[in-house]
Amino acid sequence: MFILKGIEQLEKAIAKAKKIRPRVEFGGFGHYRVSGSKGFYTVVCRKDERGYKTVACTCKGAEKGLVCYHAASALSLHVGLAKQRLTA
Ligand SMILES: [Zn+2]
């Protein structure tokens, strides 16, 4: 799990996601399933009780607090959906 502070944090992971182009499945607002090397990982984007945006992924990298490309892929979808929600 990591706390999302800005887009610069995601740059490397986004670059990797663009190369790998994982499948992202929508599982409800803030919940995504992203394809990885060993099947699908679950990514959860939420605001915690302190108001921080947190992103959790079930892969090994994210367990260590790394920003993985699954999270970056899910976030690009999440940000779009969150914007739609605001303007809806
Ligand atoms: Zn991951």
Side-chain angles (χ1 to χ4, degrees):
M1 204 256 326
F2 64 91
I3 293 171
L4 182 65
K5 293 176 189 135
I7 194 82
E8 13 355 295
Q9 212 182 339
L10 296 169
E11 271 172 3
K12 269 190 196 159
I14 287 171
K16 195 168 176 187
K18 279 184 182 160
K19 251 188 218 165
I20 297 172
R21 297 182 172 277
R23 250 178 83 90
V24 182
E25 289 179 1
F26 180 64
F29 188 72
H31 289 252
Y32 307 92
R33 276 157 49 83
V34 184
S35 66
S37 53
K38 286 173 185 155
F40 277 88
Y41 297 108
T42 302
V43 178
V44 179
C45 311
R46 58 183 284 270
K47 257 189 195 165
D48 75 1
E49 52 286 344
R50 292 164 302 172
Y52 291 119
K53 287 177 195 159
T54 65
V55 185
C57 178
T58 51
C59 77
K60 282 267 179 283
E63 260 174 34
K64 293 177 201 153
L66 299 173
V67 180
C68 58
Y69 71 90
H70 319 112
S73 306
L75 271 169
S76 59
L77 180 64
H78 183 69
V79 168
L81 290 170
K83 273 186 195 149
Q84 274 178 30
R85 266 199 156 189
L86 284 175
T87 52

